[in-house]
Amino acid sequence: MNDFPQAILPDNRVAPVPRRIRGVLRDQVVVDTINAVYVWEFPFYPHYYIPLTDIDPNLLVDEQQDQHLRWGTAHRYGIRVGDDYRAGVVHSYPDAAVDGIRGRAHIDWSALDSWFEEDEQVFVHPRNPYTRVDALRSTRSVSVGIDGIDLARSSSTMMVFETGLPTRYYFNRTEVRFDHLVRSDTVTACPYKGRTTDYWSFRLGDDILPDIAWAYDFPTRQLLPISGLIAFYNEKADITVDGERLPRPTTHFS
């Protein structure tokens, strides 16, 4: 059994979004709505479903094609901004049997350059309103190692507790040993923390274990306490807390 709480929402749940949602492509606002809903197509996080009337009609291209998808018959649209055409990225459900979905459309997240909740950018996917992400300072003793090699040791980590993920332990940079760490070009993003600024791989001789640690130098406002700190994947490294080795989980998100 995992030592962290799992997402508990069932699939197919629909709930209102009390936030203004906007989506932008090539500096053009494609979506602007205060009437979106969250739809959980699977338990971990929702998608936005947008009223078709809140998608700029000058940018929406009717592809004159229907598809049978999850919620029934969907009408397919593309999005065009200048010479940039994104085909088949909008699916509208005019006759869906599920309340809240009828008359709304699913837009592929990656079809747009950026999404905003109110005036804050959201990365990767919509934030789950039932997920908590807390950064708490702790004086518990935490160490990280691989193959018996110490990589970090601290009694002042910032612990990040995120629903559905193992606890992440963020270390001050002065508490990290960089002898076996090499920078990589990897960049990842998180809806709750923002976009990473650094990644490191583990090197031992000619062997490389890629992307075991990361940092957010400019995290979202809610996670400012982790700014500039370094965390390691529990899935790739041996983490010990107060003398007890933690089991390696199978989840893999930063």
Side-chain angles (χ1 to χ4, degrees), residues 22-32 54-57 59-60 79-81 90 107 111-112:
R22 282 175 286 182
V24 176
L25 175 62
R26 298 294 176 91
D27 297 323
Q28 294 290 309
V29 176
V30 178
V31 173
D32 190 345
D54 290 338
I55 302 173
D56 189 332
L59 307 178
L60 194 64
I79 296 173
R80 185 187 301 279
V81 176
V90 179
I107 303 177
L112 303 185

Side-chain angles (χ1 to χ4, degrees), residues 23-27 84 86 109-115 121 195:
V24 176
L25 175 62
R26 298 294 176 91
D27 297 323
D84 190 344
R86 310 291 171 96
W109 185 272
S110 59
L112 303 185
D113 294 333
S114 52
W115 290 85
Q121 187 172 356
R195 185 176 283 121

Side-chain angles (χ1 to χ4, degrees), residues 220-239:
T220 58
R221 172 176 48 80
Q222 296 87 345
L223 272 296
L224 280 176
I226 68 169
S227 177
L229 306 185
I230 297 176
F232 294 81
Y233 277 114
N234 309 43
E235 299 86 339
K236 295 183 176 183
D238 298 320
I239 296 183

